[in-house]
Amino acid sequence: MSNSKVVYEGWMVRYGRRKIGRSFIHMRYFVLESRLLAYYKKKPQDNVVPIKTLLIDGNCRVEDRGLKTHHGHMVYVLSVYNKKEKYHRMTMAAFNIQEALVWKEKIELVIDQHQGSQAIDGNKYCSFEYKSGMGNGKNASSSDQESPLSAAEDEGNARRSLVRRTTIGNGPPESVYDWTKEMDTDFTNQNSDNQAFSRKYWRLLQCQNGLRIFEELLEVDFLPKSCSRAMKAVGVVEATCEEIFELVMSMDGTRCEWDCSFQYGSLVEEVDGHTAILYHKLQLDWFPMLVWPRDLCYIRYWRRNDDGSYVVLFRSREHANCIRQPGFVRAHIESGGFNISPLKPRYGRPRTQVQHLMQIDLKGWGVGYISSFQHHCLLKMLNCVAGLREYFSQTDERTAAPRIPVMVNMTSISTSSKKNQKLQSSSAHHRTPSLDQIHAANRNAVLLDEYSDEDEDFQGADQEVSPTAIEAEDKKIASEEEPQDEIDESIFSGNLRRDDHDNGRNCWTLADGNNFRIRSKNFCFDKSKIPGGKHLLNLVAVDWFKDTKRMDHVAKRSGCAAQVASDKGYFSVVFNLQVPGSTHYSMVFYFVAKRLVPGSLLQRFVDGDDEFRNSRLKLIPSVPKGSWIVRQSVGSTPCLLGKAVDCNYIRGLNYLETSILVLPLWQNGVLGLVIGVITTLVVEMAFLVQATATEELPERLIGAVRISHIELSSAIVPEMETDDTSS
């Protein structure tokens, strides 16, 4: 690192796109100095050369790229670039908006300092702010398209009295009406002959749930009978604008906690970082036996204004990938959205005014003749502002900013790419280069930072496309532990049959590893988790035993799957779930691999001592089919078995057997409930070794099993061996 003063530093997401078009995101450590922005793979120590640097001067800009979705991850992207030299560009992102805005503010502060010195020195490249709202009396927001004058920056006519501005996006689509500018128009353009928006009047209709409900007054009633007048709800929420904005943008299960009109939502198309097309099912609950449910396909645009407020705008539109669904009536949003504005804090708590406007035509025959239907549904949609207020009022602590939620994509897009190998040359510098050297090195870059992967250290773009970009890199590391050869499972057998049909009973099948969330490679930095993916070992057989006594060391039985695997030179990890009682039951799972990778976390677990095993063996339960009470009780919270129950480990020849003593529910909590309901429900269980250090991440599943409606009568009495060959 250089001797310059560090202005700000921390972990951010390295965002970009490789030359073949595939996107990637990686965690990198960014450092902002008084003249330099750089990032590293690790927190830098003395004399560490950064992966890439950007010289900061008065010609730099911070461009807000908005929200970008990358295969299951959503990030808020910033692009820092130099207007005079296009190859000077660095793209960074964050998983939450608050963190990205802090970086944006810090970088702009450094740029402003250099602009001030350039103006004093008479720098002819001094840039200025273009007031795009001069025609209507409103200053340009940070979401407006950058002015052509600012882009050109005529050298002879540089207006040094104006300051730099930043840009995001290209503004709202032409079809979307920006109703949030009505207030500015009313008060600032009363004498203007060229108003961009018509003057509107509102009257207070009612107060409900702590909200003020307004109805639009129109001079001419031109609306069809089924289309309501525009109505808006206004309320105050004790939360920051960023917290509310992230909730408003969500279209997942969390939205059901504050929006009672939401049933389901998905992403149809991501136009850019500020514009997307969404599909939305409404939960209206108005005589459902008589009235068909409604759905929506609409374009959503958002921006962040200079005063810290957020605007989210809606307008219905048709899309080829969002055809009308059978059994639903496609409603039409004429205008709608949210206006989220900051207020002065009170008693140390943040306060935000939320306005939610909606003008909707619910369509369908007869709707125009039932005024109560339209009124009821519209009020239910507007009441989500009260839901936001109650959502935040139920907590007294502000936790760390959550990740930006990701929507399910309505279209399944499969991507394939050919294998390519990218080599990178690195120079062995022992000290930080000078600013002139940095400038020269950056000048030699052919591609923009956004379209390069130069920090990947011999990592090419030949990895298989995975559900997430981070997951792709994680799988590359984890593949070192993954046996590549297939195992002939036909040579193994157990007394419990395998049935891969969804409606199977008294059987087992493999559980999809993606149903379980495990620690990602960046868990130590951001506590992120990823789908479990492919199992490390193959589940080849399951035994279902009963006896009058405990059944320990079942893996030594002649002819069992563990012994068959040992004869082939394979290694087995056996889990023996024992349920004591008047009749003892044992369910035994046999996971087999051709070999264990030396030095891997699984090999260290197998050959470690009992203390290490107890601190690492983890079970993730799930009840995909069953009553709500049972599913909520079991949940999907991981459980360290060695700390929750008694575990006995037996290291035999080519196998490790783990006997897990499952006590009754009142003694064993969630794990007892899992085995207690296993005879009547569909239960999934995933076994893994917990990773606690960075070099052990990402976690990998040993294996996962799905048990369906097990019958106690199907258990058999095993023929146990009398001698003990364990070591």
Side-chain angles (χ1 to χ4, degrees):
M1 297 180 62
S2 64
N3 295 326
S4 301
K5 179 182 177 182
V6 175
V7 178
Y8 197 69
E9 61 181 324
W11 290 98
M12 287 285 281
V13 178
R14 171 77 171 87
Y15 159 83
R17 190 172 298 276
R18 296 187 175 93
K19 288 183 290 186
I20 61 174
R22 289 181 50 207
S23 60
F24 65 89
I25 49 178
H26 306 298
M27 295 301 298
R28 294 293 180 259
Y29 196 87
F30 282 77
V31 176
L32 174 64
E33 299 179 359
S34 57
R35 292 195 63 189
L36 203 67
L37 176 63
Y39 65 85
Y40 307 77
K41 280 195 173 181
K42 299 179 180 179
K43 187 173 182 179
Q45 304 296 330
D46 293 336
N47 300 326
V48 175
V49 178
I51 298 173
K52 188 166 184 177
T53 59
L54 175 68
L55 184 65
I56 302 296
D57 60 22
N59 293 315
C60 289
R61 297 288 183 274
V62 183
E63 183 179 4
D64 194 330
R65 294 291 183 86
L67 300 176
K68 298 289 185 179
T69 304
H70 294 278
H71 308 295
H73 288 273
M74 183 170 282
V75 292
Y76 192 102
V77 182
L78 301 175
S79 180
V80 188
Y81 66 98
N82 191 296
K83 289 177 62 65
K84 299 303 177 184
E85 300 170 347
K86 63 181 181 180
Y87 50 83
H88 277 191
R89 179 179 293 269
M90 185 179 294
T91 308
M92 57 198 301
F95 288 118
N96 61 75
I97 294 176
Q98 294 92 320
E99 188 175 0
L101 292 179
V102 171
W103 274 98
K104 183 172 181 287
E105 179 184 352
K106 298 294 184 181
I107 297 174
E108 288 177 344
L109 178 64
V110 175
I111 296 174
D112 287 337
Q113 292 174 351
H114 289 289
Q115 280 196 322
S117 61
Q118 285 182 349
I120 296 175
D121 296 339
N123 190 312
K124 64 180 180 180
Y125 291 127
C126 180
S127 58
F128 63 91
E129 179 179 14
Y130 173 70
K131 302 289 187 180
S132 65
M134 288 181 180
N136 59 10
K138 181 175 175 63
N139 291 345
S141 72
S142 59
S143 62
D144 295 329
Q145 189 174 11
E146 182 164 318
S147 158
L149 296 178
S150 179
E153 281 194 294
D154 183 77
E155 298 178 6
N157 299 323
R159 298 169 57 184
R160 298 172 186 172
S161 61
L162 298 178
V163 296
R164 175 193 52 83
R165 70 177 297 265
T166 57
T167 63
I168 60 175
N170 297 316
E174 293 182 359
S175 61
V176 177
Y177 173 65
D178 191 351
W179 54 270
T180 63
K181 291 189 177 182
E182 295 171 6
M183 184 177 299
D184 301 300
T185 303
D186 289 343
F187 291 100
T188 61
N189 287 337
Q190 295 179 2
N191 299 323
S192 175
D193 297 328
N194 185 24
Q195 294 187 13
F197 303 96
S198 62
R199 188 182 180 97
K200 299 257 180 135
Y201 297 92
W202 298 87
R203 73 178 180 92
L204 182 62
L205 185 65
Q206 67 183 72
C207 294
Q208 178 177 318
N209 294 335
L211 307 178
R212 290 179 297 154
I213 309 294
F214 293 87
E215 184 180 50
E216 177 188 17
L217 294 179
L218 296 174
E219 296 180 1
V220 180
D221 190 4
F222 62 88
L223 298 174
K225 291 184 178 181
S226 59
C227 187
S228 66
R229 296 173 182 265
M231 295 176 62
K232 67 178 178 181
V234 182
V236 176
V237 181
E238 289 190 345
T240 64
C241 291
E242 285 72 27
E243 291 173 324
I244 298 172
F245 172 73
E246 289 180 357
L247 273 186
V248 166
M249 296 290 285
S250 67
M251 294 287 281
D252 55 7
T254 59
R255 192 181 184 101
C256 298
E257 298 183 30
W258 58 271
D259 186 355
C260 60
S261 66
F262 175 82
Q263 181 181 357
Y264 170 79
S266 61
L267 175 67
V268 178
E269 180 187 349
E270 187 179 80
V271 180
D272 56 39
H274 294 268
T275 309
I277 299 174
L278 309 178
Y279 175 71
H280 188 150
K281 289 182 181 179
L282 296 174
Q283 185 79 35
L284 299 178
D285 296 334
W286 194 89
F287 286 98
M289 299 299 295
L290 300 176
V291 180
W292 281 22
R294 263 57 178 176
D295 64 359
L296 300 163
C297 180
Y298 59 94
I299 187 169
R300 182 188 68 188
Y301 164 81
W302 71 271
R303 71 168 182 265
R304 183 180 186 272
N305 293 325
D306 293 331
D307 60 357
S309 64
Y310 289 85
V311 172
V312 184
L313 303 176
F314 304 147
R315 178 73 184 269
S316 282
R317 62 159 295 174
E318 298 294 328
H319 195 278
N321 293 335
C322 188
I323 61 176
R324 297 177 184 268
Q325 302 295 317
F328 283 84
V329 175
R330 180 62 56 86
H332 178 82
I333 298 177
E334 183 64 28
S335 180
F338 292 86
N339 189 8
I340 306 168
S341 305
L343 298 175
K344 291 183 179 180
R346 179 176 295 175
Y347 306 119
R349 299 180 67 91
R351 296 167 66 243
T352 300
Q353 183 192 71
V354 179
Q355 298 184 51
H356 180 26
L357 179 140
M358 186 63 65
Q359 183 176 16
I360 188 171
D361 185 351
L362 291 173
K363 301 292 185 179
W365 70 272
V367 172
Y369 303 98
I370 310 176
S371 58
S372 59
F373 171 72
Q374 183 77 31
H375 188 74
H376 165 83
C377 296
L378 194 51
L379 285 180
K380 186 170 185 178
M381 298 173 71
L382 295 177
N383 270 331
C384 69
V385 179
L388 285 169
R389 185 191 63 229
E390 296 303 317
Y391 181 90
F392 286 105
S393 67
Q394 295 177 16
T395 177
D396 292 329
E397 297 181 0
R398 295 294 172 191
T399 57
R403 282 196 172 198
I404 305 169
V406 182
M407 290 174 289
V408 178
N409 200 323
M410 197 172 186
T411 58
S412 178
I413 302 174
S414 60
T415 307
S416 61
S417 60
K418 296 182 179 180
K419 292 187 176 182
N420 296 289
Q421 184 69 26
K422 177 180 175 64
L423 298 178
Q424 173 184 331
S425 60
S426 58
S427 57
H429 294 287
H430 298 286
R431 63 183 60 188
T432 303
S434 65
L435 293 178
D436 294 336
Q437 291 173 326
I438 292 171
H439 191 279
N442 285 336
R443 185 180 297 277
N444 294 329
V446 179
L447 298 174
L448 296 181
D449 175 76
E450 172 184 14
Y451 295 101
S452 68
D453 53 350
E454 59 187 17
D455 61 327
E456 296 313 303
D457 289 348
F458 300 98
Q459 178 177 329
D462 56 346
Q463 303 167 22
E464 181 182 358
V465 176
S466 58
T468 68
I470 288 182
E471 194 177 345
E473 186 175 350
D474 293 343
K475 286 185 175 180
K476 180 178 185 295
I477 299 174
S479 63
E480 300 175 359
E481 297 188 9
E482 185 174 333
Q484 302 298 323
D485 301 329
E486 296 295 331
I487 293 177
D488 182 10
E489 298 182 6
S490 62
I491 63 176
F492 304 98
S493 63
N495 73 294
L496 187 64
R497 68 183 181 90
R498 175 174 178 173
D499 188 344
D500 294 333
H501 294 89
D502 290 338
N503 58 352
R505 300 186 65 85
N506 196 35
C507 60
W508 69 273
T509 187
L510 294 178
D512 186 356
N514 290 325
N515 294 340
F516 305 92
R517 306 289 294 178
I518 60 176
R519 297 179 175 183
S520 72
K521 192 187 71 170
N522 299 315
F523 180 83
C524 294
F525 305 127
D526 57 10
K527 305 300 180 184
S528 61
K529 292 189 176 183
I530 58 174
K534 189 176 180 180
H535 310 165
L536 281 175
L537 278 65
N538 292 17
L539 178 59
V540 297
V542 176
D543 280 327
W544 181 222
F545 294 147
K546 66 179 178 182
D547 206 342
T548 57
K549 60 183 183 298
R550 283 185 53 169
M551 290 155 281
D552 294 318
H553 204 174
V554 294
K556 70 178 180 180
R557 295 180 307 109
S558 176
C560 75
Q563 293 299 322
V564 173
S566 181
D567 294 339
K568 290 283 187 179
Y570 303 161
F571 192 89
S572 303
V573 177
V574 182
F575 294 103
N576 180 8
L577 268 64
Q578 302 196 51
V579 186
S582 57
T583 300
H584 294 257
Y585 290 91
S586 281
M587 182 163 286
V588 188
F589 307 104
Y590 302 90
F591 296 94
V592 176
K594 282 195 172 182
R595 62 188 179 278
L596 294 180
V597 178
S600 65
L601 181 58
L602 180 58
Q603 183 271 325
R604 290 163 50 204
F605 172 81
V606 167
D607 294 329
D609 55 23
D610 287 356
E611 182 179 358
F612 177 78
R613 293 165 177 165
N614 285 333
S615 66
R616 295 300 189 95
L617 180 59
K618 186 159 64 175
L619 170 74
I620 305 178
S622 175
V623 180
K625 293 183 181 180
S627 68
W628 177 85
I629 295 177
V630 173
R631 285 188 284 113
Q632 291 297 314
S633 299
V634 174
S636 58
T637 303
C639 172
L640 283 175
L641 291 176
K643 296 184 178 180
V645 297
D646 291 333
C647 294
N648 183 34
Y649 305 94
I650 302 174
R651 180 67 163 91
L653 180 62
N654 289 332
Y655 67 85
L656 172 69
E657 177 180 334
T658 302
S659 294
I660 305 167
L661 184 62
V662 182
L663 298 177
L665 171 60
W666 55 87
Q667 299 182 38
N668 234 166
V670 170
L671 190 61
L673 181 59
V674 170
I675 201 67
V677 301
I678 204 172
T679 60
T680 58
L681 302 174
V682 176
V683 179
E684 292 184 350
M685 291 178 285
F687 299 91
L688 67 155
V689 181
Q690 178 170 278
T692 59
T694 305
E695 59 272 12
E696 297 173 347
L697 294 168
E699 290 182 334
R700 296 300 309 278
L701 297 179
I702 296 175
V705 61
R706 181 185 180 105
I707 304 296
S708 301
H709 304 288
I710 297 300
E711 299 175 3
L712 295 178
S713 59
S714 65
I716 66 172
V717 179
E719 296 182 2
M720 300 294 294
E721 299 289 338
T722 56
D723 59 326
D724 191 353
T725 59
S726 63
S727 60

